């Protein structure tokens, strides 16, 4: 990866994005689809931190212009793979003579992402495995790329986000990306999760193959399945079974183990032939301190009570609001949007009325950004929970969230 050329292209994409934002801020109409297409084409080829940031943005599709969100979402499922000769370089770097380990490696990947891509292979013993291959040279250009991403993120100042907060958000993003390059840590996470959920009949987690894994390649036993994004057209019973497994798993992760899978894009999940939830990627697992979790549940409690003053108090404690003048009317509207999902009984996550109301709130949220700021230490947690929510939407989940959350809210109320 040639650093100078990458820097030029990233700066160009950043300038184009900034131009579109400036145009809308001055009252004009930006061509969001054209911008999205340019970002898709450029970031799909460049890979790395900027593509990861765009994938994160695409998961907040209730906050982005629809045309831009749709184009960025393609980065989660249609990103152009890196050519095989470059991937082979990484495999040779890891294994030396590839033929001493594998009888066959499929040159076309069946998954490609921001930091690496996945190839199916057959060992000399005849076992089918998958190889998650880190893009060659990515570690060398990571810090340079991050500098350009930081420049792009500085556009947030146009929306009254303080520089100190942008810096804090950037540092959390950068730390997460550096961790994703650590394939040894991901192999350990896979092993830990397999042991943790070995008796759960609804979850399947691939087994890491430590003898074939290293700094540049993570090897796992092959587990087939239908990707979550392709389950939207499958039968309702399968979708509901997967949705319940996903919701149960997220809850147990947070409230029992104090961790959360923080890369929730749909390509990381699937359903196997028995309708079990398959979880493929553990490159981003974050700790969730009890105090942070309790604070977020207290905010939810105030939201469901439709108590704007309590919502403001909870946000102040979390560091999510500053300045003078609580936007109480915005709090009330937000509570009215969210509360129906937590009403007693089964609620339909595919109810478009909820998403429409949330999208209608977006301009008001941006207008209040001088007082509302995302707490830096909850950036990845909030983004992950938002992504898991949209996965439940894709599954058209029907869940009784009232029954699920009542004991958790009671826990949050305790001193």
């Amino acid at each position: 990866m040639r650093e100078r050329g990458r820097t030029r292209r990233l700066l160009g994409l950043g300038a184009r994005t900034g131009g579109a934002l400036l145009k809308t801020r001055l009252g004009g109409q930006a061509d969001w689809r054209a911008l999205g297409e340019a970002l898709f084409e450029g970031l799909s080829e460049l890979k790395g931190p900027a593509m990861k940031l765009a994938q994160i943005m695409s998961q907040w599709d209730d906050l982005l212009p629809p045309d831009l969100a749709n184009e960025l979402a393609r980065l989660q499922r249609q990103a152009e793979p890196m050519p095989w000769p470059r991937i082979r370089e990484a495999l040779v770097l890891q294994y030396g003579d590839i033929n001493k380990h594998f009888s066959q490696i499929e040159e076309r990947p069946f998954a490609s992402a921001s930091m690496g891509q996945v190839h199916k292979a057959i060992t000399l013993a005849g076992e089918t495995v998958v190889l998650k291959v880190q893009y060659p040279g990515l570690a060398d250009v990571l810090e340079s790329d991050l500098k350009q991403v930081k420049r792009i993120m500085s556009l947030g100042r146009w929306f009254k986000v303080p520089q100190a907060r942008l810096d804090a958000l950037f540092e959390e993003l950068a730390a997460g990306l550096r961790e994703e390059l650590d394939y040894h840590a991901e192999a350990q996470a896979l092993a830990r999760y397999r042991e943790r959920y070995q008796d759960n009949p609804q979850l399947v987690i691939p087994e890491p193959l430590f003898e074939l894994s290293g700094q540049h390649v993570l090897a796992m036993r092959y587990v087939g399945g239908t990707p979550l994004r392709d389950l939207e057209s499958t039968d309702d019973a399968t979708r509901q079974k997967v949705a319940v497994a996903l919701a149960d798993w997220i809850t147990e992760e947070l409230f029992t183990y104090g961790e959360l899978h923080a890369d929730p894009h749909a390509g990381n999940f699937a359903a196997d032939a028995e309708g079990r939830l398959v979880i493929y990627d553990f490159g981003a697992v974050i700790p969730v301190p009890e105090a942070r979790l309790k604070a977020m549940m207290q905010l939810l409690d105030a939201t469901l009570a439709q108590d704007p003053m309590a919502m403001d108090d909870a946000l102040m404690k979390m560091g999510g609001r500053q300045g003078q003048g609580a936007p109480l009317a915005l709090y009330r509207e937000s509570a009215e949007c969210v509360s129906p999902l937590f009403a007693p009984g089964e609620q339909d996550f595919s109810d478009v009325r909820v998403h429409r109301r949330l999208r209608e709130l977006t301009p008001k949220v941006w207008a209040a950004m001088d007082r509302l700021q995302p707490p830096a230490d909850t950036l990845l947690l909030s983004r992950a929970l938002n992504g898991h929510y949209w996965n439940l939407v894709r599954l058209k989940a029907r869940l009784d969230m009232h029954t699920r959350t009542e004991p958790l809210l009671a826990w949050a109320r305790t001193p």
Side-chain angles (χ1 to χ4, degrees), residues 269-287:
F269 302 92
D272 72 0
E274 299 174 33
R276 297 177 297 178
L277 175 65
V278 183
I279 310 166
Y280 289 121
D281 191 295
F282 286 86
V285 176
I286 59 172

Side-chain angles (χ1 to χ4, degrees), residues 211-229:
E211 67 277 12
L212 289 174
S213 299
Q215 183 177 352
H216 304 287
V217 180
L218 172 60
M220 298 167 278
R221 296 194 192 282
Y222 173 71
V223 177
T226 303
L228 186 147
R229 60 176 173 264

Side-chain angles (χ1 to χ4, degrees), residues 334-365:
S334 300
E336 290 171 1
C337 287
V338 173
S339 295
L341 280 177
F342 294 86
E346 223 176 48
Q347 303 301 324
D348 187 353
F349 276 66
S350 65
D351 187 343
V352 295
R353 292 172 297 180
V354 175
H355 317 318
R356 186 182 301 120
R357 291 197 66 184
L358 287 171
R359 191 180 294 279
E360 289 170 353
L361 274 180
T362 300
K364 298 178 182 180
V365 173

